[in-house]
Amino acid sequence: MLLQNLGVSASGVIALVLSALPASAFITATGPGPYACGNLTQALGKKTVVSNVLSLDYIGSILSYFNTEQSKYKPSCIVYPTSAEDVSIAIKAIRASDSRFAIKAGGHNPNDFFSSVDKGVLIDLSSMTERSYDPETELATYQPGGTFGDVYDYFLQWNRTVVGARLAGVGTGLALSGGLSYLSSQYGLACDSFRELEVVLPSGEIVTASESENPDLFYGLRGGGGNSYGVVTKYTVQSHPAGTFYAGVVIYLFQQNPAVLDAISDFIQYNEDPKAAIIGTYMKLPTPDLNLNLDESIVMFLVYDGEDAGNAFKNFTDIPHLINTLGHLDYSGVVNMPLPGSAEISKGRNTFRVTVQSGNDEGIDTLSTLYAKWREWSDNNKGKYLLTSLDIQPVPKSLTDASNANFGGNAMQMPDGPWYWVNYLLTASPLLSDTALKEVQESFKELVEAVPPGEGLPLFINDATYDQNPLVTYGGYEKLKALKAKVDGDGFFSSHTGGWAFP
């Protein structure tokens, strides 16, 4: 009662005590991870800190990674905070214990230790699910827990949505690395809609990042790699109307490949309707093709923000196809294409790689080369994968204009469109040994590196593997590097958790 009368919370006192203790006071023979967990259990309680590997919460956390290779790591404990204060206490205790740690929102990043940890503390943000909407300002607020599908469903009660992932099952951390949406051609990347962020710094201090408060931090968190600079515990973003969409998938056999590539190329170069968005996905299965192309398909995701797309997708629908599901959907239906739970059923030994090419004639000609090399690699590596895909993602000028109109642009400092990102996905066979897995991943790397990315264009962090160093391709790289030195001056985050490096 005395603490409450003085305006001091119990968690605040605990945080002060933890910050005052020297690191040596926490290090025991049991190791930094277990010792941090012991102190966290005392500070936050057994309901918040789970050390029992047989707990359903513990099992659920480590089995929910998009790249199932991350599930082999075993944290000393998992912390389930519900507030920024809980995260602050956790960070301070981890620092004092000199323990390794990781921050996990949805666990969609496939890179080792970016959201996973072995013998350290995993901070799982899944219990932070508060959301709100202000009809007067049209600002939406959400904590990082849950998926973007959960976030979209919440705001649909006001016929509003936010810019986020294109699949419902992806976690909210995606926005900190950019976030490409079906709405991006109108409003920019997900990070471009940020208006204010609540952030726990590597020191454990809780601050606000916005255009007026800590603007350098606000800049870095808008596409600059997320957890490198702190832990975002609340997002306040500009919301947008969410009415009826004309959307669906069109699926082709590979005999239509030249026509589909031409249609994608035309869309990249000439589409000027910001309400129209596409993703072209070329997929290969490991089954023998028997010269019938039954192991291959092309899936076009077509989304128009409105009931009538006019001729926006005519080039695609005129091509002979197997399936056309285009019709009227709400935004929940859009992000669950082609099937509800699509982001979940795609879990496996997943690796991403990315490249980028311009929308000029040279860059468009390169698209055919990228496709041909990927298909050749796929044919030569039968039996080593469950799935491999090539995703073509246009970046029109309307997107880059919208991005640069928000506070002078995000951390990418996006050059004028049109250009396009290509995401390569490898889902390796579960039958491969660890050695064979590394070999096929190295071969996949060589495939992507065989064609250099377009000069002066940024690699997309959301689709990048750790060794691609996407930050160095950003126009804001020097500012990001200075920010990293400022907020993580002693290098604690750099040395104790995974994330994008500053070479």
Side-chain angles (χ1 to χ4, degrees):
M1 184 65 69
L2 177 60
L3 291 175
Q4 293 174 345
N5 290 339
L6 292 174
V8 179
S9 67
S11 62
V13 172
I14 293 169
L16 288 172
V17 171
L18 285 171
S19 64
L21 288 172
S24 59
F26 285 84
I27 299 174
T28 72
T30 59
Y35 203 87
C37 293
N39 283 284
L40 282 167
T41 301
Q42 293 182 34
L44 296 173
K46 291 184 178 180
K47 289 185 177 180
T48 303
V49 183
V50 177
S51 301
N52 182 358
V53 297
L54 299 180
S55 160
L56 293 179
D57 287 337
Y58 186 104
I59 294 170
S61 288
I62 65 170
L63 292 184
S64 58
Y65 289 101
F66 172 66
N67 176 9
T68 53
E69 285 295 290
Q70 305 306 306
S71 299
K72 67 187 180 184
Y73 301 120
K74 299 299 183 286
S76 302
C77 66
I78 304 178
V79 181
Y80 298 93
T82 58
S83 66
E85 289 75 18
D86 287 352
V87 175
S88 174
I89 290 170
I91 293 296
K92 289 178 179 178
I94 290 165
R95 287 186 68 99
S97 307
D98 199 34
S99 173
R100 289 197 60 82
F101 71 100
I103 309 295
K104 178 176 182 285
H108 201 71
N109 190 307
N111 291 304
D112 272 358
F113 304 125
F114 277 47
S115 61
S116 59
V117 64
D118 199 30
K119 300 176 183 177
V121 179
L122 178 63
I123 301 176
D124 185 326
L125 304 176
S126 59
S127 295
M128 302 183 69
T129 57
E130 292 182 3
R131 300 165 189 128
S132 64
Y133 176 68
D134 185 338
E136 292 188 8
T137 63
E138 297 182 337
L139 292 178
T141 301
Y142 58 91
Q143 288 184 310
T147 65
F148 264 116
D150 300 324
V151 173
Y152 298 147
D153 288 346
Y154 177 82
F155 292 114
L156 275 181
Q157 62 187 297
W158 293 282
N159 294 318
R160 308 291 293 186
T161 194
V162 300
V163 182
R166 292 162 299 179
L167 286 174
V170 177
T172 58
L174 163 136
L176 295 171
S177 293
L180 186 61
S181 163
Y182 291 120
L183 301 176
S184 289
S185 297
Q186 298 178 75
Y187 308 120
L189 300 180
C191 65
D192 294 319
S193 290
F194 292 173
R195 296 297 177 262
E196 183 177 286
L197 303 171
E198 179 184 72
V199 188
V200 180
L201 296 177
S203 65
E205 180 185 2
I206 302 170
V207 301
T208 297
S210 67
E211 186 182 22
S212 58
E213 295 184 71
N214 299 299
D216 54 347
L217 178 62
F218 187 55
Y219 178 87
L221 291 169
R222 291 183 1 255
N227 289 339
S228 295
Y229 320 102
V231 185
V232 175
T233 51
K234 184 168 65 176
Y235 300 82
T236 300
V237 306
Q238 182 63 55
S239 71
H240 303 286
T244 300
F245 291 77
Y246 183 72
V249 298
V250 180
I251 301 177
Y252 313 84
L253 291 177
F254 257 53
Q255 286 90 336
Q256 303 302 329
N257 170 65
V260 176
L261 273 182
D262 286 346
I264 294 172
S265 298
D266 286 347
F267 190 91
I268 292 170
Q269 287 188 296
Y270 305 121
N271 175 65
E272 294 183 351
D273 188 342
K275 293 188 175 184
I278 72 166
I279 308 171
T281 298
Y282 288 74
M283 303 173 65
K284 270 277 203 177
L285 299 172
T287 53
D289 65 15
L290 303 176
N291 294 319
L292 298 174
N293 294 319
L294 297 179
D295 62 333
E296 307 169 318
S297 66
I298 309 168
V299 183
M300 289 301 310
F301 293 79
L302 309 175
V303 177
Y304 192 85
D305 186 0
E307 296 186 19
D308 185 359
N311 291 323
F313 303 136
K314 187 175 186 299
N315 283 356
F316 298 102
T317 55
D318 282 352
I319 300 170
H321 47 267
L322 289 176
I323 296 172
N324 180 346
T325 70
L326 283 164
H328 292 141
L329 297 172
D330 64 10
Y331 200 59
S332 178
V334 169
V335 298
N336 278 290
M337 298 189 307
L339 295 170
S342 297
E344 297 304 318
I345 62 174
S346 60
K347 290 192 296 185
R349 301 173 92 177
N350 290 319
T351 300
F352 282 150
R353 286 196 173 272
V354 68
T355 193
V356 61
Q357 298 292 335
S358 74
N360 60 23
D361 289 343
E362 181 181 355
I364 293 300
D365 289 344
T366 301
L367 180 56
S368 295
T369 303
L370 297 178
Y371 160 73
K373 287 184 175 295
W374 166 79
R375 191 180 187 195
E376 180 183 14
W377 184 92
S378 302
D379 288 337
N380 291 337
N381 285 274
K382 286 285 188 181
K384 298 179 183 179
Y385 57 84
L386 291 181
L387 172 70
T388 180
S389 68
L390 187 77
D391 298 320
I392 305 162
Q393 306 170 123
V395 180
K397 188 174 187 300
S398 61
L399 188 161
T400 57
D401 285 348
S403 174
N404 293 324
N406 283 279
F407 313 120
N410 59 44
M412 291 186 201
Q413 293 293 288
M414 302 182 83
D416 286 347
W419 35 280
Y420 62 97
W421 281 311
V422 176
N423 172 35
Y424 295 77
L425 167 67
L426 168 66
T427 304
S429 168
L431 302 179
L432 296 181
S433 66
D434 287 347
T435 299
L437 175 62
K438 290 180 180 178
E439 289 174 352
V440 73
Q441 288 176 339
E442 182 62 28
S443 174
F444 200 63
K445 175 183 178 181
E446 292 171 359
L447 159 70
V448 177
E449 291 180 345
V451 180
E455 187 175 349
L457 296 171
L459 293 174
F460 193 29
I461 284 188
N462 286 130
D463 295 340
T465 292
Y466 70 94
D467 60 10
Q468 293 193 282
N469 295 325
L471 289 179
V472 301
T473 68
Y474 282 17
Y477 175 69
E478 292 301 328
K479 290 177 67 174
L480 295 176
K481 194 173 182 180
L483 172 63
K484 178 65 172 176
K486 176 182 175 181
V487 299
D488 191 27
D490 63 356
F492 182 73
F493 267 39
S494 296
S495 59
H496 288 69
T497 189
W500 297 106
F502 290 85

PDB file of all heavy atoms in Angstrom, residues 108-119:
ATOM      1  N   HIS A 108       8.425 -16.275 -37.308  1.00  0.00           N
ATOM      2  CA  HIS A 108       8.431 -16.527 -38.747  1.00  0.00           C
ATOM      3  C   HIS A 108       9.811 -16.328 -39.371  1.00  0.00           C
ATOM      4  O   HIS A 108      10.062 -16.818 -40.472  1.00  0.00           O
ATOM      5  CB  HIS A 108       7.410 -15.608 -39.428  1.00  0.00           C
ATOM      6  CG  HIS A 108       6.960 -16.093 -40.772  1.00  0.00           C
ATOM      7  ND1 HIS A 108       6.142 -17.188 -40.936  1.00  0.00           N
ATOM      8  CD2 HIS A 108       7.209 -15.648 -42.030  1.00  0.00           C
ATOM      9  CE1 HIS A 108       5.911 -17.389 -42.211  1.00  0.00           C
ATOM     10  NE2 HIS A 108       6.556 -16.479 -42.911  1.00  0.00           N
ATOM     11  N   ASN A 109      10.696 -15.616 -38.692  1.00  0.00           N
ATOM     12  CA  ASN A 109      12.041 -15.413 -39.244  1.00  0.00           C
ATOM     13  C   ASN A 109      12.802 -16.734 -39.203  1.00  0.00           C
ATOM     14  O   ASN A 109      12.949 -17.336 -38.140  1.00  0.00           O
ATOM     15  CB  ASN A 109      12.791 -14.344 -38.442  1.00  0.00           C
ATOM     16  CG  ASN A 109      14.082 -13.914 -39.113  1.00  0.00           C
ATOM     17  OD1 ASN A 109      14.927 -14.733 -39.448  1.00  0.00           O
ATOM     18  ND2 ASN A 109      14.243 -12.618 -39.308  1.00  0.00           N
ATOM     19  N   PRO A 110      13.322 -17.211 -40.346  1.00  0.00           N
ATOM     20  CA  PRO A 110      13.945 -18.537 -40.375  1.00  0.00           C
ATOM     21  C   PRO A 110      15.399 -18.574 -39.915  1.00  0.00           C
ATOM     22  O   PRO A 110      15.977 -19.663 -39.810  1.00  0.00           O
ATOM     23  CB  PRO A 110      13.854 -18.920 -41.856  1.00  0.00           C
ATOM     24  CG  PRO A 110      13.882 -17.621 -42.578  1.00  0.00           C
ATOM     25  CD  PRO A 110      13.184 -16.627 -41.697  1.00  0.00           C
ATOM     26  N   ASN A 111      15.997 -17.415 -39.627  1.00  0.00           N
ATOM     27  CA  ASN A 111      17.427 -17.382 -39.327  1.00  0.00           C
ATOM     28  C   ASN A 111      17.731 -17.850 -37.904  1.00  0.00           C
ATOM     29  O   ASN A 111      17.009 -17.513 -36.957  1.00  0.00           O
ATOM     30  CB  ASN A 111      17.960 -15.961 -39.521  1.00  0.00           C
ATOM     31  CG  ASN A 111      17.972 -15.548 -40.977  1.00  0.00           C
ATOM     32  OD1 ASN A 111      18.558 -16.214 -41.821  1.00  0.00           O
ATOM     33  ND2 ASN A 111      17.300 -14.440 -41.293  1.00  0.00           N
ATOM     34  N   ASP A 112      18.828 -18.588 -37.765  1.00  0.00           N
ATOM     35  CA  ASP A 112      19.248 -19.095 -36.456  1.00  0.00           C
ATOM     36  C   ASP A 112      19.404 -17.966 -35.453  1.00  0.00           C
ATOM     37  O   ASP A 112      20.092 -16.969 -35.703  1.00  0.00           O
ATOM     38  CB  ASP A 112      20.598 -19.825 -36.580  1.00  0.00           C
ATOM     39  CG  ASP A 112      20.419 -21.288 -36.927  1.00  0.00           C
ATOM     40  OD1 ASP A 112      19.277 -21.745 -37.029  1.00  0.00           O
ATOM     41  OD2 ASP A 112      21.447 -21.970 -37.120  1.00  0.00           O
ATOM     42  N   PHE A 113      18.748 -18.138 -34.296  1.00  0.00           N
ATOM     43  CA  PHE A 113      18.887 -17.281 -33.113  1.00  0.00           C
ATOM     44  C   PHE A 113      18.325 -15.869 -33.289  1.00  0.00           C
ATOM     45  O   PHE A 113      18.464 -15.043 -32.395  1.00  0.00           O
ATOM     46  CB  PHE A 113      20.348 -17.220 -32.640  1.00  0.00           C
ATOM     47  CG  PHE A 113      20.930 -18.571 -32.368  1.00  0.00           C
ATOM     48  CD1 PHE A 113      22.100 -18.976 -32.986  1.00  0.00           C
ATOM     49  CD2 PHE A 113      20.297 -19.457 -31.511  1.00  0.00           C
ATOM     50  CE1 PHE A 113      22.628 -20.251 -32.758  1.00  0.00           C
ATOM     51  CE2 PHE A 113      20.820 -20.729 -31.264  1.00  0.00           C
ATOM     52  CZ  PHE A 113      21.989 -21.119 -31.881  1.00  0.00           C
ATOM     53  N   PHE A 114      17.646 -15.593 -34.418  1.00  0.00           N
ATOM     54  CA  PHE A 114      16.987 -14.294 -34.537  1.00  0.00           C
ATOM     55  C   PHE A 114      15.761 -14.242 -33.623  1.00  0.00           C
ATOM     56  O   PHE A 114      15.398 -13.174 -33.132  1.00  0.00           O
ATOM     57  CB  PHE A 114      16.592 -14.019 -35.988  1.00  0.00           C
ATOM     58  CG  PHE A 114      17.704 -13.466 -36.825  1.00  0.00           C
ATOM     59  CD1 PHE A 114      18.973 -14.029 -36.795  1.00  0.00           C
ATOM     60  CD2 PHE A 114      17.493 -12.388 -37.660  1.00  0.00           C
ATOM     61  CE1 PHE A 114      20.013 -13.523 -37.576  1.00  0.00           C
ATOM     62  CE2 PHE A 114      18.518 -11.867 -38.453  1.00  0.00           C
ATOM     63  CZ  PHE A 114      19.773 -12.438 -38.404  1.00  0.00           C
ATOM     64  N   SER A 115      15.113 -15.387 -33.422  1.00  0.00           N
ATOM     65  CA  SER A 115      13.995 -15.442 -32.471  1.00  0.00           C
ATOM     66  C   SER A 115      14.021 -16.733 -31.662  1.00  0.00           C
ATOM     67  O   SER A 115      13.025 -17.143 -31.093  1.00  0.00           O
ATOM     68  CB  SER A 115      12.658 -15.313 -33.206  1.00  0.00           C
ATOM     69  OG  SER A 115      12.480 -16.369 -34.139  1.00  0.00           O
ATOM     70  N   SER A 116      15.191 -17.364 -31.614  1.00  0.00           N
ATOM     71  CA  SER A 116      15.354 -18.612 -30.849  1.00  0.00           C
ATOM     72  C   SER A 116      16.645 -18.533 -30.050  1.00  0.00           C
ATOM     73  O   SER A 116      17.541 -17.747 -30.353  1.00  0.00           O
ATOM     74  CB  SER A 116      15.408 -19.811 -31.808  1.00  0.00           C
ATOM     75  OG  SER A 116      16.486 -19.687 -32.718  1.00  0.00           O
ATOM     76  N   VAL A 117      16.734 -19.377 -29.024  1.00  0.00           N
ATOM     77  CA  VAL A 117      17.919 -19.372 -28.170  1.00  0.00           C
ATOM     78  C   VAL A 117      18.105 -20.757 -27.587  1.00  0.00           C
ATOM     79  O   VAL A 117      17.139 -21.489 -27.352  1.00  0.00           O
ATOM     80  CB  VAL A 117      17.783 -18.324 -27.033  1.00  0.00           C
ATOM     81  CG1 VAL A 117      16.637 -18.672 -26.093  1.00  0.00           C
ATOM     82  CG2 VAL A 117      19.087 -18.150 -26.270  1.00  0.00           C
ATOM     83  N   ASP A 118      19.348 -21.124 -27.372  1.00  0.00           N
ATOM     84  CA  ASP A 118      19.675 -22.400 -26.739  1.00  0.00           C
ATOM     85  C   ASP A 118      20.361 -22.112 -25.408  1.00  0.00           C
ATOM     86  O   ASP A 118      21.333 -21.343 -25.359  1.00  0.00           O
ATOM     87  CB  ASP A 118      20.599 -23.215 -27.653  1.00  0.00           C
ATOM     88  CG  ASP A 118      20.615 -24.689 -27.306  1.00  0.00           C
ATOM     89  OD1 ASP A 118      19.588 -25.196 -26.820  1.00  0.00           O
ATOM     90  OD2 ASP A 118      21.656 -25.330 -27.533  1.00  0.00           O
ATOM     91  N   LYS A 119      19.845 -22.667 -24.322  1.00  0.00           N
ATOM     92  CA  LYS A 119      20.431 -22.503 -22.988  1.00  0.00           C
ATOM     93  C   LYS A 119      20.502 -21.028 -22.581  1.00  0.00           C
ATOM     94  O   LYS A 119      21.506 -20.553 -22.072  1.00  0.00           O
ATOM     95  CB  LYS A 119      21.824 -23.148 -22.925  1.00  0.00           C
ATOM     96  CG  LYS A 119      21.807 -24.643 -23.213  1.00  0.00           C
ATOM     97  CD  LYS A 119      23.209 -25.221 -23.240  1.00  0.00           C
ATOM     98  CE  LYS A 119      23.172 -26.704 -23.593  1.00  0.00           C
ATOM     99  NZ  LYS A 119      24.541 -27.293 -23.701  1.00  0.00           N
TER     100      LYS A 119
END
